[in-house]
Amino acid sequence: QPEAITRYLALTFGPVGQAFDYGFFRAENLPRVAARALPVLALLGASIWALVRRPAWGFLGAAFFIVLAPSSLMPGLVQVIVEHRMYVALAAVLAAAVVGSVAWLGPRALAAWLVLAVAAGGLTVRRNADYATAERQWTDTVAKRPGSSIAQGNLGQVRYEQGRYEEAVMHFQAAIRLKPDVAQTHYNLALAYEKLGRLDEASAGYAEAVRILPYFAQAHVKRAAILVTQGRLDEALAHLRPALQ
């Protein structure tokens, strides 16, 4: 989470390179964690000190950490960096920046902030264009964060719906390499294989989906259908019965 918080603060003052999904990852490099944790701890310490000595400033620092606390102390199981967590906490950071600059430079600082606000509005309009279609959203995310299994899987779904099955296979395979325990991704990959006529690989994909999620009825039915075409009726029944249940 120190990496997440420093990322949020960096985006506050340099809102470029945003990503819809960062993927799931673990912090395993101690020097990198320390490099991100030290400024966060320093800011937290300064906020606590200010609460006692400069309550107005301390309130802004405390508000920043309190708003982020629920998602920082218990981050999501799939997404550990999510930019929309910063939307409310942003108010405290910008209030401190604006008030501090005006106290230091005088009213002329407000003119600079107005220019920055207009520029930020332009960046918002440009960024909103990335959400115009699912294809643009997930193509942008994969380009920035190829290590996101969610982005790879969703771009694979877009390509599947477009009938671009070879590309769909490529993205579903990438998603599985990143997170192999998601039954839906194996199912989607099998659907793409089936469209390409690669029935053995499709059958294996459906089998893996039901291994991960035994009550995945659609995957049972799809594998049973392939087994029927291959004359393997007993195996097909072994999938149809749990599908009915």
Side-chain angles (χ1 to χ4, degrees), residues 224-239:
I226 293 175
L227 291 169
V228 167
T229 65
Q230 296 171 338
R232 297 158 64 181
L233 302 184
D234 288 339
E235 292 177 68
L237 285 171
H239 284 283

Side-chain angles (χ1 to χ4, degrees), residues 113-124:
W113 282 108
L114 179 60
V115 172
L116 289 172
V118 172
L123 289 174
T124 297

